Amino acid sequence: IRMTMTLFPRAAAALLVPSLSTTATTATHHRFISKKSLAVLIVATSARAFSIASVGNSNNNISYSSSSSSAISSIFGIRTSSARNSNSFGSSSSLSVIANTRGGGIFSRKIHTFSTTTAVAVGEANSDVATDSSALKMTAGEKLAKMRSKMEECGADVYLVPSDDPHLSEYVPAAYMRRAYLTDFHGSAGTAVVTMDKAYLWTDSRYFNEASLRLDSQHWDLMKQGQPKVPSLTKFLSELATSHYTKHAKPIKVGMDAYVHSASFAKTLNEAFGDAAKEVMEDGDAAVPVIAEMDTLDGRENVVDSIWEGRPALPKNPFRVQPMEYAGVSVTDKVTKIRSQMKEKKATLAVFSALDDVAYLFNVRCMGDVETCPVGIAYATISHDQVTLYCDEEKVQPQSVMEHLKAANVAVQPYANIVGDIQNHLDSSNSRNKVWLDNSRSNYALSRVVPKESLIDAQNAVSPMKAVKNSAEMEGMRRAHIVDGVAMAHFMAWLEHAIIVEGRSVSEVEIDEVLTGFRAKQPGFKECSFPTIAGVGSNGAIVHYRAAEGSELLKELDRTQPILIDSGGQYEYGTTDVTRTWHFGEDVGDEFMDMYTRVLKGHIGLDTMIFPENTPGFVLDVFARKALWEVGKDYGHGTGHGVGAALNVHEGPHGISPRWTNTEVLKKGMITSNEPGFYEDGEYGIRIENLLEIVGVTSAANNNDEAEPKSKKQKTMGKEFLKLAKLTMIPIQKNLIKVDTMTDAELDWLDAYHEEVLEKVAPLLEEGTAAMTWLVKSCEKIERKS
């Protein structure tokens, strides 16, 4: 404990659980750190192998306290400390929880480019942690010059650098953040293309603003995919190949790492090159010319790795067992179901590459491999007589994990054996063996060893199983959202007091860290479910903004600007994701209120939908946009995504967006977000997000494995109808709403929602605390105009 307090005083201060005892004449503050909070701190800090967050002064006068978890424990049966949050407020400008509480963080908030040296030196306790010397950091131009030199050595004319790791993850371990290292753009989606004289970055509309700010425009061109006159990546490469072939009469060589590109991308690119080649055929040509070659540069180091000094090591954090009370279905039962589907498809081997698929299949979780995602680096396969987990041996060292896997008859093999084992399966004496592998969720290195005639390219069996929650998983998700509501009540009481009563401004970083601190005090908290987005004013218009100390973009919240806060928690029993837009000013402005109200109307429009079973998500998207479309406004991201049960915050295969190509149907037991928004670049961002569970129309809380009698189900023409039930239990700010533009039904919805929030969250708060006062006030019925 003394070491932790010395090296991480700000973090320890943030996790202190003060209590406030008051008599008629005195108020005495006592500080102690709960066992749970200390565990969060120690686990989180030990998960960080690459860097350490900055350490500030520990002499903070922290006088707001933490409410007891006993109420939560008695309701949910969760063992926790006896400390409780009450809410008296004192000086709190330095209160923080270092980024380590997210788990697996890979750089300090004060570091904006990846380290290019191997050393990270720890300074004095109250000093910032030293990082690489600025003299040794490479500029964008220097990185590209080294890249091109390495490309020339291996004969590549073009090199592709995607965001992905070998498991095609949305969030990746630090060692695989090659595109971020090369471009200094840290968004979760994007592909860099480096030629011998140019460099390009493709990304989607969520990141246009951020990418334009992060890229060095002297060396990088931003390609805003989906915009007019911006070719797709495959179209661009095929046109580049055509130009190169026409000029040099030889194919262009496109370098790529087979392990970090999806098999489906490789196939699409090959097809694009073939189509382009037909266009350059001349009369008399005997065959279609080869205008491009995809070269995976086998036997060579990834080109980015070859220039990345001090690249972080691959993480090898241990798995932990997800208890049956939260998992709901055993590994054996899952394997039995998958084998039944394999038999139907005539598959002899099923391959699972996505990290959340592997974690779900084996009922394990991991902290530290991937920031904010409770998954570990591993593959899995299932044959008719064997189940295999491919991972580093350190991941299965805990005795509980070994016993858990042994009980399920799971064999453990080295991580690197996966490709060879697939080949061996196909090379066996049984030439009729077939491999079930989803090319859209598997890397090219795995897919290319499976001949076309032996490949069953289809959605894997785990993805739809994982999307439809069982009763234990859904109950865990409900618990998580209630305790998340408790954390948010404490946080908002603190924030409102700081802004309105104390009259001070609060930085985006402090907001992020204090919110994380309140979540960390809740029972079962592990880490954030994604990097918190706390965007003041114009930063709210950067859809996936992340505040950082020392950034030119960093802002402070006061009463003159709104703030968009998108955040969530990973609890051992569930995952949360919520967005609210707040404004503490008295003169908000008519335009802002109008847009806020329209976003809310869209949110309510989707929330209140009743729809037939087997409806694809894109069918519902229009209801979230209707109020904005009426005034010629829109937003560039999807409206809803799936969410894992104590797993990744973004989960497929379903979604709600304008992209009609996603035809995955919505089913009872699925979870989706509902998050319409509006963004005025350079001014503000607005988003209101709840998580929802899909239920039958006759119940607000029934689930997929507790079917109602058919006679009670609402059916028309043989179809069952579904609706959405709220999981998120956090109030919506009422004084930003233009009441005269809301219908009575919409106002009734708001009052009913707030009544439900109060009913579920208030029992976990102490009477008389600032959090309870804030919650009760926020959940009062909205004042209606006569």
Side-chain angles (χ1 to χ4, degrees):
I1 295 175
R2 184 176 293 114
M3 179 188 71
T4 303
M5 295 288 288
T6 301
L7 292 179
F8 304 101
R10 291 186 72 206
L15 288 175
L16 283 172
V17 185
S19 62
L20 179 63
S21 60
T22 308
T23 67
T25 57
T26 62
T28 305
H29 299 273
H30 307 282
R31 294 189 196 175
F32 61 91
I33 188 164
S34 70
K35 292 179 181 178
K36 175 180 68 62
S37 295
L38 179 61
V40 168
L41 176 61
I42 293 174
V43 170
T45 52
S46 65
R48 231 183 211 196
F50 179 48
S51 69
I52 305 173
S54 60
V55 179
N57 195 318
S58 62
N59 298 320
N60 303 320
N61 177 25
I62 304 172
S63 59
Y64 54 90
S65 57
S66 128
S67 85
S68 173
S69 308
S70 59
I72 297 175
S73 177
S74 64
I75 291 175
F76 291 150
I78 299 170
R79 295 170 59 188
T80 180
S81 72
S82 60
R84 292 208 53 127
N85 286 333
S86 75
N87 283 276
S88 86
F89 299 95
S91 172
S92 52
S93 59
S94 298
L95 179 74
S96 67
V97 172
I98 59 175
N100 297 19
T101 57
R102 304 174 191 281
I106 49 79
F107 50 84
S108 164
R109 287 190 168 280
K110 293 195 175 184
I111 302 173
H112 296 280
T113 55
F114 286 88
S115 173
T116 55
T117 66
T118 56
V120 179
V122 180
E124 296 297 320
N126 291 330
S127 303
D128 290 339
V129 173
T131 60
D132 53 330
S133 168
S134 58
L136 297 178
K137 291 181 180 178
M138 287 191 286
T139 65
E142 290 169 340
K143 290 177 186 176
L144 289 171
K146 286 197 171 187
M147 277 283 293
R148 289 171 179 135
S149 176
K150 294 293 184 180
M151 288 164 58
E152 190 171 15
E153 287 179 16
C154 57
D157 301 300
V158 182
Y159 195 75
L160 309 183
V161 185
S163 306
D164 298 303
D165 62 9
H167 306 273
L168 310 183
S169 308
E170 177 183 13
Y171 299 107
V172 303
Y176 291 116
M177 292 183 177
R178 295 167 173 132
R179 191 224 60 225
Y181 167 77
L182 184 63
T183 67
D184 203 29
F185 162 65
H186 298 159
S188 65
T191 300
V193 176
V194 180
T195 70
M196 285 301 177
D197 57 359
K198 297 280 287 182
Y200 308 86
L201 174 74
W202 270 259
T203 192
D204 62 48
S205 60
R206 295 173 296 167
Y207 296 111
F208 290 167
N209 199 331
E210 180 182 350
S212 65
L213 294 169
R214 300 293 298 182
L215 292 177
D216 183 337
S217 59
Q218 292 186 337
H219 297 281
W220 288 94
D221 290 341
L222 175 59
M223 307 296 281
K224 299 181 178 181
Q225 65 189 49
Q227 297 298 294
K229 299 182 180 180
V230 177
S232 67
L233 177 59
T234 52
K235 177 70 172 174
F236 173 85
L237 291 172
S238 61
E239 290 176 349
L240 189 64
T242 299
S243 174
H244 184 276
Y245 185 82
T246 302
K247 183 176 181 179
H248 300 288
K250 64 178 183 179
I252 193 169
K253 189 174 179 180
V254 179
M256 60 189 293
D257 183 339
Y259 282 90
V260 294
H261 289 275
S262 71
S264 57
F265 170 77
K267 178 183 177 183
T268 300
L269 184 57
N270 257 330
E271 291 172 349
F273 287 151
D275 292 341
K278 296 174 184 176
E279 299 295 324
V280 300
M281 284 185 68
E282 297 181 356
D283 292 341
D285 284 350
V288 177
V290 177
I291 68 170
E293 295 176 353
M294 282 194 335
D295 191 340
T296 55
L297 305 176
D298 295 336
R300 289 180 175 268
E301 187 178 20
N302 181 289
V303 174
V304 177
D305 294 351
S306 69
I307 70 164
W308 189 352
E309 299 176 15
R311 177 184 173 230
L314 288 173
K316 298 180 180 180
N317 298 287
F319 284 119
R320 68 176 188 271
V321 178
Q322 185 71 346
M324 274 295 291
E325 64 179 307
Y326 305 139
V329 178
S330 70
V331 177
T332 301
D333 287 344
K334 292 176 182 179
V335 170
T336 298
K337 186 174 181 180
I338 292 169
R339 281 180 171 151
S340 176
Q341 295 181 45
M342 290 171 63
K343 186 175 181 179
E344 293 175 3
K345 291 185 175 293
K346 299 181 180 179
T348 56
L349 184 72
V351 179
F352 303 96
S353 298
L355 300 183
D356 57 336
D357 287 351
V358 176
Y360 172 86
L361 173 61
F362 293 124
N363 288 342
V364 292
R365 302 293 187 267
C366 179
M367 185 171 173
D369 274 16
V370 183
E371 184 184 19
T372 74
C373 300
V375 296
I377 298 175
Y379 295 102
T381 62
I382 297 177
S383 66
H384 292 312
D385 58 1
Q386 190 168 20
V387 181
T388 307
L389 169 65
Y390 295 87
C391 65
D392 291 315
E393 63 179 354
E394 292 89 341
K395 307 194 76 60
V396 294
Q397 285 302 305
Q399 186 68 26
S400 59
V401 174
M402 289 192 285
E403 292 174 355
H404 168 72
L405 295 174
K406 182 179 179 180
N409 294 315
V410 177
V412 179
Q413 290 290 326
Y415 179 78
N417 284 13
I418 178 72
V419 174
D421 282 2
I422 294 174
Q423 288 178 309
N424 291 338
H425 182 79
L426 292 170
D427 292 341
S428 68
S429 57
N430 188 350
S431 61
R432 299 174 63 183
N433 282 351
K434 290 185 179 295
V435 175
W436 182 2
L437 182 147
D438 184 349
N439 271 342
S440 66
R441 291 169 63 81
S442 303
N443 66 55
Y444 182 46
L446 298 183
S447 176
R448 65 180 175 176
V449 302
V450 184
K452 185 176 180 179
E453 62 274 13
S454 301
L455 175 66
I456 300 172
D457 180 12
Q459 182 184 82
N460 73 41
V462 166
S463 188
M465 288 169 58
K466 176 163 50 70
V468 177
K469 276 50 179 177
N470 60 55
S471 58
E473 290 174 320
M474 194 65 82
E475 182 58 29
M477 292 294 281
R478 294 180 192 128
R479 292 183 184 184
H481 283 84
I482 293 172
V483 300
D484 216 51
V486 171
M488 189 63 75
H490 285 295
F491 166 74
M492 284 306 301
W494 169 84
L495 183 61
E496 195 171 86
H497 187 275
I499 300 296
I500 297 176
V501 179
E502 294 180 9
R504 70 181 181 92
S505 59
V506 184
S507 79
E508 295 163 331
V509 168
E510 185 179 1
I511 286 169
D512 177 356
E513 294 177 337
V514 172
L515 175 53
T516 301
F518 280 118
R519 279 199 171 102
K521 294 172 183 177
Q522 303 311 312
F525 177 83
K526 293 295 185 182
E527 56 185 326
C528 291
S529 57
F530 57 95
T532 296
I533 300 166
V536 172
S538 59
N539 288 342
I542 303 174
V543 178
H544 282 216
Y545 171 73
R546 185 175 186 181
E549 294 282 11
S551 167
E552 294 178 358
L553 296 176
L554 185 65
K555 292 180 179 291
E556 296 199 345
L557 177 66
D558 55 25
R559 302 193 70 175
T560 67
Q561 298 183 87
I563 183 169
L564 184 155
I565 303 177
D566 188 351
S567 65
Q570 290 286 6
Y571 300 89
E572 60 184 351
Y573 41 82
T575 303
T576 68
D577 179 6
V578 58
T579 309
R580 292 290 185 266
T581 303
W582 309 97
H583 200 310
F584 299 104
E586 296 178 354
D587 183 17
V588 176
D590 187 72
E591 177 193 334
F592 182 88
M593 289 184 67
D594 182 50
M595 290 299 102
Y596 183 92
T597 305
R598 291 181 182 278
V599 170
L600 176 58
K601 288 169 76 73
H603 181 96
I604 296 172
L606 177 57
D607 181 279
T608 55
M609 276 299 299
I610 293 177
F611 52 95
E613 60 185 345
N614 297 324
T615 297
F618 70 82
V619 174
L620 305 186
D621 183 75
V622 63
F623 295 96
R625 301 177 190 266
K626 180 178 180 294
L628 288 168
W629 284 1
E630 288 171 351
V631 290
K633 304 294 185 181
D634 202 357
Y635 51 94
H637 56 76
T639 299
H641 58 82
V643 178
L647 266 175
N648 290 355
V649 73
H650 292 160
E651 179 181 274
H654 60 290
I656 300 174
S657 79
R659 299 177 182 86
W660 54 268
T661 51
N662 184 353
T663 58
E664 194 73 33
V665 300
L666 301 178
K667 299 176 181 178
K668 185 160 57 176
M670 285 180 168
I671 291 174
T672 181
S673 66
N674 173 10
E675 49 183 308
F678 176 73
Y679 312 92
E680 189 66 55
D681 281 352
E683 298 292 334
Y684 59 82
I686 298 168
R687 187 161 66 251
I688 300 173
E689 176 188 16
N690 280 357
L691 296 192
L692 308 167
E693 59 175 299
I694 301 177
V695 301
V697 295
T698 54
S699 171
N702 62 341
N703 56 59
N704 57 295
D705 56 358
E706 295 176 358
E708 303 170 55
K710 290 186 177 180
S711 60
K712 291 186 177 181
K713 293 181 180 179
Q714 181 172 323
K715 285 180 173 282
T716 301
M717 299 177 64
K719 291 183 178 179
E720 180 183 358
F721 278 68
L722 307 174
K723 64 178 182 180
L724 301 162
K726 302 166 194 66
L727 287 170
T728 303
M729 292 291 127
I730 296 169
I732 294 168
Q733 189 170 352
K734 299 188 296 289
N735 63 353
L736 301 181
I737 300 169
K738 295 183 72 173
V739 178
D740 56 343
T741 65
M742 297 278 283
T743 67
D744 287 341
E746 289 168 338
L747 294 174
D748 289 344
W749 178 94
L750 188 65
D751 285 343
Y753 175 54
H754 284 155
E755 183 178 354
E756 183 181 2
V757 171
L758 186 63
E759 177 185 345
K760 292 181 176 179
V761 177
L764 308 184
L765 296 172
E766 288 184 347
E767 291 291 340
T769 62
M772 178 67 90
T773 301
W774 178 86
L775 183 71
V776 171
K777 180 181 177 182
S778 299
C779 292
E780 291 174 349
K781 291 184 181 295
I782 191 167
E783 184 177 342
R784 308 192 186 201
K785 295 186 177 180
S786 57

